[in-house]
Amino acid sequence: MSEQPLNPITAPAPVSRTADEATTADPPATGSVTDAPAGDTPVTDTHAADAPEADATTVHASATGSTAADLPADEAAALRAASFERARRLRQEPRFPGGPAADPAGSHHERRIRSFQPRRSRVTTGQQEALERLWPTWGLDIDGKRVLDLDQLFGGLPVVLEIGFGMGEATAQMAADDPGTGILAVDVHTPGQGNLLGLADKAGSTNVRVANGDAVILLREMLAPESLDGLRVYFPDPWPKARHHKRRLIQPEFLDLVAPVLKPGAIVHCATDWEPYAEQMLEVLTAHPRFENTAADGGYAPRPAFRPLTRFEGQGLDKGHVVHDLLFARV
Protein backbone atom coordinates (compact mmCIF):
# COMPACT_ATOMS: atom_id res chain seq x y z
CA MET A 1 0.00 0.00 0.00
CA SER A 2 0.35 2.36 0.09
CA GLU A 3 2.20 4.38 -0.14
CA GLN A 4 4.94 8.51 1.11
CA PRO A 5 6.35 11.33 3.12
CA LEU A 6 9.57 12.49 4.37
CA ASN A 7 10.39 16.04 3.39
CA PRO A 8 7.69 15.84 0.71
CA ILE A 9 7.85 19.58 -0.04
CA THR A 10 11.47 19.39 -1.16
CA ALA A 11 11.85 19.99 -4.89
CA PRO A 12 12.51 16.82 -6.89
CA ALA A 13 16.11 15.94 -7.52
CA PRO A 14 17.33 13.52 -10.19
CA VAL A 15 18.86 11.05 -7.81
CA SER A 16 18.20 7.42 -6.97
CA ARG A 17 15.41 6.38 -4.63
CA THR A 18 16.37 5.65 -1.06
CA ALA A 19 15.12 3.25 1.53
CA ASP A 20 15.62 2.65 5.23
CA GLU A 21 18.23 5.36 5.51
CA ALA A 22 18.40 8.20 3.03
CA THR A 23 21.73 6.99 1.72
CA THR A 24 20.89 3.35 0.93
CA ALA A 25 18.93 1.88 -1.94
CA ASP A 26 15.53 0.25 -1.54
CA PRO A 27 15.53 -3.54 -1.43
CA PRO A 28 14.37 -5.10 -4.67
CA ALA A 29 10.64 -5.46 -5.15
CA THR A 30 9.30 -8.79 -4.10
CA GLY A 31 7.20 -11.14 -6.19
CA SER A 32 4.75 -12.21 -3.54
CA VAL A 33 1.63 -14.19 -4.30
CA THR A 34 -1.70 -12.54 -3.56
CA ASP A 35 -4.99 -14.19 -2.74
CA ALA A 36 -6.99 -14.76 -5.91
CA PRO A 37 -10.70 -13.95 -5.93
CA ALA A 38 -12.97 -16.92 -6.36
CA GLY A 39 -13.23 -18.05 -9.94
CA ASP A 40 -9.93 -16.56 -11.06
CA THR A 41 -6.88 -18.64 -11.83
CA PRO A 42 -3.61 -17.14 -10.66
CA VAL A 43 -1.07 -16.73 -13.41
CA THR A 44 2.54 -15.71 -13.15
CA ASP A 45 3.50 -12.33 -14.51
CA THR A 46 6.45 -13.17 -16.73
CA HIS A 47 7.44 -9.63 -17.66
CA ALA A 48 11.11 -9.57 -18.50
CA ALA A 49 11.80 -6.90 -15.90
CA ASP A 50 10.96 -9.41 -13.18
CA ALA A 51 13.65 -11.84 -14.25
CA PRO A 52 17.33 -11.23 -13.54
CA GLU A 53 19.30 -10.36 -16.64
CA ALA A 54 22.66 -11.97 -17.20
CA ASP A 55 25.60 -9.59 -17.15
CA ALA A 56 26.71 -8.79 -20.68
CA THR A 57 30.28 -9.83 -19.93
CA THR A 58 29.02 -13.26 -18.85
CA VAL A 59 26.99 -13.63 -22.07
CA HIS A 60 29.98 -12.58 -24.15
CA ALA A 61 32.31 -14.94 -22.34
CA SER A 62 29.88 -17.81 -22.76
CA ALA A 63 29.52 -17.14 -26.46
CA THR A 64 33.25 -16.87 -27.14
CA GLY A 65 34.51 -19.50 -24.75
CA SER A 66 36.59 -16.92 -22.90
CA THR A 67 36.19 -15.55 -19.40
CA ALA A 68 35.26 -12.03 -18.34
CA ALA A 69 38.81 -11.59 -17.12
CA ASP A 70 40.05 -12.10 -20.70
CA LEU A 71 38.24 -9.02 -21.97
CA PRO A 72 39.96 -5.62 -22.09
CA ALA A 73 38.84 -3.41 -19.25
CA ASP A 74 37.19 -0.84 -21.50
CA GLU A 75 35.26 -3.50 -23.46
CA ALA A 76 34.06 -5.20 -20.26
CA ALA A 77 32.93 -1.84 -18.83
CA ALA A 78 31.05 -1.01 -22.04
CA LEU A 79 29.28 -4.37 -22.03
CA ARG A 80 28.28 -3.97 -18.37
CA ALA A 81 26.94 -0.47 -19.06
CA ALA A 82 24.86 -1.77 -21.97
CA SER A 83 23.47 -4.56 -19.78
CA PHE A 84 22.48 -2.14 -17.01
CA GLU A 85 20.83 0.16 -19.55
CA ARG A 86 18.75 -2.71 -20.98
CA ALA A 87 17.66 -3.70 -17.47
CA ARG A 88 16.71 -0.10 -16.69
CA ARG A 89 14.56 0.16 -19.83
CA LEU A 90 12.82 -3.10 -19.02
CA ARG A 91 11.97 -1.94 -15.51
CA GLN A 92 10.29 1.14 -16.95
CA GLU A 93 8.14 -0.76 -19.44
CA PRO A 94 4.48 -1.32 -18.48
CA ARG A 95 3.53 -4.82 -17.47
CA PHE A 96 0.45 -4.62 -19.66
CA PRO A 97 0.31 -2.57 -22.87
CA GLY A 98 -1.88 0.44 -22.22
CA GLY A 99 -2.01 -0.36 -18.49
CA PRO A 100 -0.35 1.14 -15.41
CA ALA A 101 3.24 2.22 -15.97
CA ALA A 102 5.99 0.47 -14.06
CA ASP A 103 7.57 3.79 -13.01
CA PRO A 104 5.18 6.63 -13.90
CA ALA A 105 7.19 9.42 -12.27
CA GLY A 106 10.70 8.24 -12.96
CA SER A 107 11.94 11.78 -13.37
CA HIS A 108 10.77 12.55 -9.84
CA HIS A 109 13.04 10.13 -8.04
CA GLU A 110 14.16 12.21 -5.10
CA ARG A 111 16.10 11.72 -1.94
CA ARG A 112 13.37 11.06 0.60
CA ILE A 113 12.14 8.07 2.53
CA ARG A 114 8.99 6.49 1.19
CA SER A 115 6.25 4.88 3.21
CA PHE A 116 5.54 2.24 0.57
CA GLN A 117 7.41 -0.52 -1.20
CA PRO A 118 6.27 -1.17 -4.76
CA ARG A 119 6.28 -4.88 -5.45
CA ARG A 120 5.66 -7.11 -8.41
CA SER A 121 3.46 -10.10 -7.73
CA ARG A 122 1.14 -12.52 -9.44
CA VAL A 123 -1.87 -11.27 -11.32
CA THR A 124 -4.96 -13.38 -11.94
CA THR A 125 -6.50 -13.73 -15.36
CA GLY A 126 -9.49 -11.67 -14.22
CA GLN A 127 -7.28 -8.87 -12.91
CA GLN A 128 -5.25 -8.83 -16.11
CA GLU A 129 -8.39 -8.69 -18.24
CA ALA A 130 -9.72 -5.78 -16.16
CA LEU A 131 -6.44 -3.88 -16.47
CA GLU A 132 -6.24 -4.33 -20.21
CA ARG A 133 -9.90 -3.46 -20.80
CA LEU A 134 -10.59 -0.74 -18.21
CA TRP A 135 -7.31 1.02 -17.48
CA PRO A 136 -7.48 3.28 -20.57
CA THR A 137 -10.84 4.59 -19.32
CA TRP A 138 -10.61 4.52 -15.53
CA GLY A 139 -6.88 4.45 -14.80
CA LEU A 140 -4.20 7.11 -14.66
CA ASP A 141 -0.49 7.24 -13.91
CA ILE A 142 0.90 9.66 -11.34
CA ASP A 143 3.61 11.20 -13.50
CA GLY A 144 3.74 14.72 -12.04
CA LYS A 145 3.37 16.26 -15.50
CA ARG A 146 -0.09 17.80 -15.25
CA VAL A 147 -2.77 19.07 -12.89
CA LEU A 148 -5.82 16.84 -12.92
CA ASP A 149 -9.19 18.32 -13.83
CA LEU A 150 -11.29 16.45 -11.28
CA ASP A 151 -14.54 17.97 -12.53
CA GLN A 152 -13.88 16.52 -15.96
CA LEU A 153 -12.54 13.24 -14.59
CA PHE A 154 -15.58 12.61 -12.37
CA GLY A 155 -18.31 14.49 -14.22
CA GLY A 156 -18.66 17.17 -11.55
CA LEU A 157 -19.01 14.82 -8.56
CA PRO A 158 -17.41 15.73 -5.23
CA VAL A 159 -14.16 13.75 -4.97
CA VAL A 160 -12.44 12.03 -2.08
CA LEU A 161 -8.90 10.69 -2.30
CA GLU A 162 -8.19 7.23 -0.92
CA ILE A 163 -4.53 6.33 -0.39
CA GLY A 164 -3.78 2.62 -0.26
CA PHE A 165 -6.79 0.44 -1.11
CA GLY A 166 -5.23 -3.02 -1.01
CA MET A 167 -7.31 -5.38 -3.13
CA GLY A 168 -10.08 -2.80 -3.46
CA GLU A 169 -13.03 -4.62 -1.87
CA ALA A 170 -13.87 -1.82 0.58
CA THR A 171 -13.33 0.88 -2.05
CA ALA A 172 -15.64 -0.86 -4.51
CA GLN A 173 -18.33 -1.24 -1.86
CA MET A 174 -18.10 2.45 -0.83
CA ALA A 175 -18.34 3.47 -4.49
CA ALA A 176 -21.42 1.31 -5.02
CA ASP A 177 -23.07 2.53 -1.80
CA ASP A 178 -22.46 6.22 -2.63
CA PRO A 179 -22.58 6.76 -6.40
CA GLY A 180 -22.82 10.52 -5.83
CA THR A 181 -19.21 10.69 -4.61
CA GLY A 182 -16.17 10.17 -6.79
CA ILE A 183 -13.29 8.13 -5.37
CA LEU A 184 -9.75 8.73 -6.61
CA ALA A 185 -8.05 5.58 -5.33
CA VAL A 186 -4.24 5.46 -5.23
CA ASP A 187 -2.03 2.39 -4.88
CA VAL A 188 1.08 0.84 -6.40
CA HIS A 189 0.01 -2.82 -6.24
CA THR A 190 -0.92 -4.03 -9.72
CA PRO A 191 -3.12 -7.00 -8.68
CA GLY A 192 -5.12 -4.68 -6.42
CA GLN A 193 -5.51 -2.14 -9.21
CA GLY A 194 -6.88 -4.80 -11.53
CA ASN A 195 -9.11 -6.24 -8.82
CA LEU A 196 -10.65 -2.86 -7.98
CA LEU A 197 -11.32 -2.10 -11.64
CA GLY A 198 -13.02 -5.47 -12.05
CA LEU A 199 -15.14 -5.09 -8.92
CA ALA A 200 -16.27 -1.58 -9.86
CA ASP A 201 -17.14 -2.71 -13.37
CA LYS A 202 -19.10 -5.71 -12.08
CA ALA A 203 -21.09 -3.45 -9.73
CA GLY A 204 -21.77 -0.94 -12.50
CA SER A 205 -19.96 1.81 -10.58
CA THR A 206 -18.59 4.62 -12.73
CA ASN A 207 -17.41 6.86 -9.88
CA VAL A 208 -14.00 5.23 -9.29
CA ARG A 209 -10.69 6.21 -10.86
CA VAL A 210 -7.55 4.22 -10.08
CA ALA A 211 -4.27 6.13 -9.82
CA ASN A 212 -0.93 4.35 -10.02
CA GLY A 213 2.11 5.77 -8.26
CA ASP A 214 3.36 7.96 -5.42
CA ALA A 215 0.62 9.83 -3.57
CA VAL A 216 3.06 12.55 -2.51
CA ILE A 217 3.66 13.50 -6.15
CA LEU A 218 -0.10 13.47 -6.73
CA LEU A 219 -0.75 15.78 -3.78
CA ARG A 220 2.19 18.06 -4.45
CA GLU A 221 1.99 18.47 -8.21
CA MET A 222 -1.23 17.11 -9.71
CA LEU A 223 -4.11 18.41 -7.56
CA ALA A 224 -5.46 21.95 -7.60
CA PRO A 225 -5.91 23.88 -4.34
CA GLU A 226 -9.15 23.04 -2.50
CA SER A 227 -10.13 20.43 -5.06
CA LEU A 228 -10.81 17.47 -2.74
CA ASP A 229 -13.82 16.84 -0.51
CA GLY A 230 -12.05 14.32 1.69
CA LEU A 231 -9.10 12.02 2.30
CA ARG A 232 -9.26 8.36 3.38
CA VAL A 233 -6.29 6.41 4.71
CA TYR A 234 -7.40 3.00 5.92
CA PHE A 235 -4.97 0.60 7.58
CA PRO A 236 -1.70 2.02 6.25
CA ASP A 237 1.48 0.08 6.91
CA PRO A 238 2.25 0.67 10.62
CA TRP A 239 6.00 0.17 10.19
CA PRO A 240 6.15 -1.23 13.74
CA LYS A 241 9.93 -1.17 14.22
CA ALA A 242 11.13 2.04 15.86
CA ARG A 243 13.78 2.60 13.22
CA HIS A 244 11.05 2.50 10.55
CA HIS A 245 8.65 4.99 12.19
CA LYS A 246 9.94 7.69 9.86
CA ARG A 247 8.27 5.78 7.01
CA ARG A 248 4.77 6.11 8.47
CA LEU A 249 2.43 8.06 6.24
CA ILE A 250 0.68 10.25 8.79
CA GLN A 251 3.37 12.79 9.62
CA PRO A 252 3.30 16.61 9.97
CA GLU A 253 4.98 17.06 6.58
CA PHE A 254 2.35 14.88 4.91
CA LEU A 255 -0.47 16.90 6.47
CA ASP A 256 1.20 20.08 5.20
CA LEU A 257 0.74 18.67 1.70
CA VAL A 258 -2.82 17.50 2.31
CA ALA A 259 -4.29 20.67 3.82
CA PRO A 260 -4.03 22.96 0.74
CA VAL A 261 -5.79 20.53 -1.63
CA LEU A 262 -8.74 19.92 0.72
CA LYS A 263 -11.80 22.13 0.73
CA PRO A 264 -12.70 23.80 4.05
CA GLY A 265 -14.66 21.31 6.10
CA ALA A 266 -13.34 18.30 4.18
CA ILE A 267 -12.78 15.24 6.36
CA VAL A 268 -9.53 13.37 6.80
CA HIS A 269 -10.53 9.86 7.85
CA CYS A 270 -7.86 7.46 9.09
CA ALA A 271 -8.26 3.96 10.50
CA THR A 272 -5.73 1.55 11.97
CA ASP A 273 -5.65 -1.54 14.15
CA TRP A 274 -2.12 -0.80 15.37
CA GLU A 275 -2.46 0.93 18.73
CA PRO A 276 0.89 2.83 18.75
CA TYR A 277 0.22 4.15 15.25
CA ALA A 278 -3.29 5.22 16.25
CA GLU A 279 -1.76 7.19 19.11
CA GLN A 280 0.71 8.84 16.73
CA MET A 281 -2.06 9.68 14.25
CA LEU A 282 -4.13 11.30 17.00
CA GLU A 283 -1.16 13.28 18.27
CA VAL A 284 -0.05 14.51 14.84
CA LEU A 285 -3.54 15.43 13.62
CA THR A 286 -4.43 17.16 16.88
CA ALA A 287 -1.26 19.25 16.78
CA HIS A 288 -1.73 20.43 13.19
CA PRO A 289 -3.30 23.91 12.98
CA ARG A 290 -5.26 23.12 9.80
CA PHE A 291 -7.23 20.21 11.24
CA GLU A 292 -9.84 19.88 13.97
CA ASN A 293 -11.05 16.69 15.64
CA THR A 294 -14.73 15.98 14.99
CA ALA A 295 -14.93 13.79 18.11
CA ALA A 296 -16.39 15.83 20.95
CA ASP A 297 -14.00 14.34 23.49
CA GLY A 298 -10.95 14.99 21.32
CA GLY A 299 -10.24 11.28 20.90
CA TYR A 300 -11.14 8.51 18.51
CA ALA A 301 -14.43 8.36 16.61
CA PRO A 302 -16.84 5.45 16.16
CA ARG A 303 -16.51 3.65 12.84
CA PRO A 304 -18.80 5.53 10.45
CA ALA A 305 -21.38 3.45 8.62
CA PHE A 306 -19.90 4.27 5.22
CA ARG A 307 -16.59 2.53 5.99
CA PRO A 308 -17.16 -1.17 5.33
CA LEU A 309 -15.95 -3.82 7.73
CA THR A 310 -13.49 -5.72 5.56
CA ARG A 311 -12.72 -9.41 5.75
CA PHE A 312 -9.18 -8.73 6.98
CA GLU A 313 -10.43 -6.25 9.59
CA GLY A 314 -12.91 -8.86 10.80
CA GLN A 315 -10.13 -11.40 11.15
CA GLY A 316 -8.17 -8.90 13.21
CA LEU A 317 -11.15 -8.20 15.45
CA ASP A 318 -11.56 -11.95 15.99
CA LYS A 319 -7.97 -11.98 17.23
CA GLY A 320 -8.63 -9.19 19.70
CA HIS A 321 -7.31 -6.27 17.66
CA VAL A 322 -8.84 -2.87 18.42
CA VAL A 323 -9.56 -0.66 15.42
CA HIS A 324 -9.43 3.10 15.86
CA ASP A 325 -11.07 5.60 13.49
CA LEU A 326 -10.01 9.24 13.41
CA LEU A 327 -12.06 11.92 11.67
CA PHE A 328 -10.59 15.42 11.43
CA ALA A 329 -12.05 18.37 9.54
CA ARG A 330 -9.90 20.74 7.53
CA VAL A 331 -10.27 24.29 8.94
Side-chain angles (χ1 to χ4, degrees):
M1 116 80 291
S2 33
E3 349 167 58
Q4 279 86 347
L6 188 69
N7 301 327
I9 303 177
T10 305
V15 294
S16 299
R17 295 183 58 221
T18 58
D20 186 26
E21 300 298 337
T23 57
T24 59
D26 272 334
T30 60
S32 59
V33 178
T34 58
D35 292 334
D40 279 337
T41 303
V43 295
T44 304
D45 178 59
T46 55
H47 189 276
D50 293 340
E53 180 172 319
D55 187 277
T57 55
T58 303
V59 174
H60 177 90
S62 176
T64 61
S66 61
T67 65
D70 296 331
L71 297 174
D74 57 345
E75 185 178 348
L79 287 169
R80 282 196 297 271
S83 176
F84 294 151
E85 176 60 21
R86 282 197 302 274
R88 183 190 67 80
R89 288 198 305 269
L90 285 171
R91 285 195 298 269
Q92 292 179 342
E93 291 178 1
R95 300 174 70 185
F96 307 104
D103 186 16
S107 62
H108 291 259
H109 282 176
E110 54 201 88
R111 193 170 293 279
R112 62 179 169 85
I113 296 170
R114 281 160 169 75
S115 67
F116 64 91
Q117 174 60 48
R119 63 193 189 278
R120 292 190 181 276
S121 56
R122 297 176 186 247
V123 177
T124 70
T125 53
Q127 292 160 3
Q128 179 172 348
E129 187 276 334
L131 284 167
E132 293 174 347
R133 181 169 56 89
L134 300 170
W135 185 265
T137 303
W138 289 351
L140 62 97
D141 284 316
I142 301 173
D143 55 16
K145 296 178 180 179
R146 66 199 188 282
V147 175
L148 298 177
D149 185 340
L150 296 184
D151 283 340
Q152 181 182 31
L153 199 60
F154 287 92
L157 295 177
V159 179
V160 298
L161 172 65
E162 182 178 2
I163 298 178
F165 55 79
M167 294 305 292
E169 293 96 338
T171 307
Q173 183 174 335
M174 288 187 290
D177 291 344
D178 184 12
T181 297
I183 301 177
L184 179 57
V186 180
D187 211 304
V188 295
H189 188 46
T190 311
Q193 293 166 349
N195 202 54
L196 174 54
L197 288 171
L199 290 172
D201 182 53
K202 183 177 180 180
S205 301
T206 60
N207 55 328
V208 177
R209 302 293 179 270
V210 179
N212 167 54
D214 188 342
V216 163
I217 294 174
L218 176 71
L219 289 164
R220 188 180 62 199
E221 301 176 30
M222 297 181 67
L223 293 176
E226 298 188 358
S227 58
L228 291 177
D229 291 82
L231 170 68
R232 297 169 180 171
V233 183
Y234 299 153
F235 305 98
D237 195 326
W239 295 103
K241 294 181 180 179
R243 64 190 176 94
H244 291 157
H245 286 181
K246 56 184 172 289
R247 291 174 172 268
R248 288 177 173 175
L249 181 62
I250 307 302
Q251 309 266 12
E253 297 89 349
F254 175 73
L255 296 180
D256 289 342
L257 275 181
V258 169
V261 300
L262 290 177
K263 296 175 182 177
I267 298 296
V268 173
H269 182 193
C270 302
T272 181
D273 61 349
W274 192 261
E275 185 79 23
Y277 196 9
E279 294 170 355
Q280 176 184 322
M281 288 179 176
L282 183 60
E283 179 182 353
V284 170
L285 282 160
T286 300
H288 200 284
R290 301 293 297 276
F291 297 98
E292 183 177 73
N293 198 338
T294 64
D297 61 358
Y300 303 112
R303 179 177 66 87
F306 67 80
R307 183 177 74 76
L309 183 68
T310 67
R311 173 168 51 94
F312 296 103
E313 182 181 356
Q315 291 172 352
L317 292 172
D318 291 341
K319 296 176 183 177
H321 296 182
V322 177
V323 176
H324 293 292
D325 284 78
L326 302 93
L327 284 86
F328 279 71
R330 193 275 216 188
V331 296

